[in-house]
Amino acid sequence: MGQSLGSELDGRAVRALGGGDRLLLRLDGGLLLTVRNDFRLRRGTEVEHFYPALGLPASGTLRHLADAVITAATVTPAGGLELTFDTGHLLAVAPDPAPGGPPHPWQLSSPTGHPLHTGGPNGTATP
C-alpha cells in the first residue's frame, strides 16, 4: 500500500494553478492534484464557493494558493478532501459529485500521471 495522503502532501508547495472545468494544483515533486467537484476556499470568516463545471479561472481568490505550502491534508469520513495552507486558507472539496458529475471529485497523480489517491463515488477514497 502507498503512503497516506497526508504524508504525500504535507510540506509541498503549489507551483502552478490551472483552471477551466477543473482546478489543477501542480505541486513540488511533480505531483498533480485535480479537483473536478465543487469546492470552497475559506480563510477566517471569508468563504468563496467554486463550481468547476461552470468554468474556473485560476485567478481571484485562488491566486492566493500560488506558492502556498500545504500544512495538513485529510480525507473526510465521507471521502471529501481538506487541504490547509500556510496562508491560512482551507480548501474543502465536497465528497460526492452531483448526478451526472465527474466520477472522481478529486485525484492526486504522480509525475507520470499514475493515480496515487482518488476520491471515489459515495465518499470512498482509495490509495
Side-chain angles (χ1 to χ4, degrees):
M1 183 177 240
Q3 292 181 300
S4 73
L5 182 69
S7 65
E8 292 270 5
L9 294 179
D10 289 354
R12 294 201 188 254
V14 176
R15 295 302 173 201
L17 294 169
D21 64 349
R22 70 198 74 181
L23 173 64
L24 299 173
L25 297 178
R26 296 190 187 283
L27 307 172
D28 286 337
L31 295 180
L32 176 65
L33 180 67
T34 304
V35 175
R36 295 177 188 264
N37 205 25
D38 300 346
F39 65 94
R40 68 183 189 276
L41 187 62
R42 180 174 55 100
R43 183 167 187 223
T45 59
E46 297 177 17
V47 179
E48 191 167 348
H49 295 269
F50 295 89
Y51 307 95
L54 300 176
L56 186 67
S59 60
T61 306
L62 289 175
R63 69 178 159 62
H64 295 292
L65 298 182
D67 295 319
V69 176
I70 298 170
T71 58
T74 56
V75 177
T76 67
L81 176 65
E82 293 184 351
L83 299 177
T84 305
F85 295 89
D86 65 345
T87 59
H89 289 89
L90 172 73
L91 184 134
V93 181
D96 289 321
H104 303 291
W106 58 270
Q107 184 171 65
L108 179 66
S109 301
S110 72
T112 61
H114 182 280
L116 300 172
H117 296 274
T118 300
N122 303 317
T124 60
T126 56

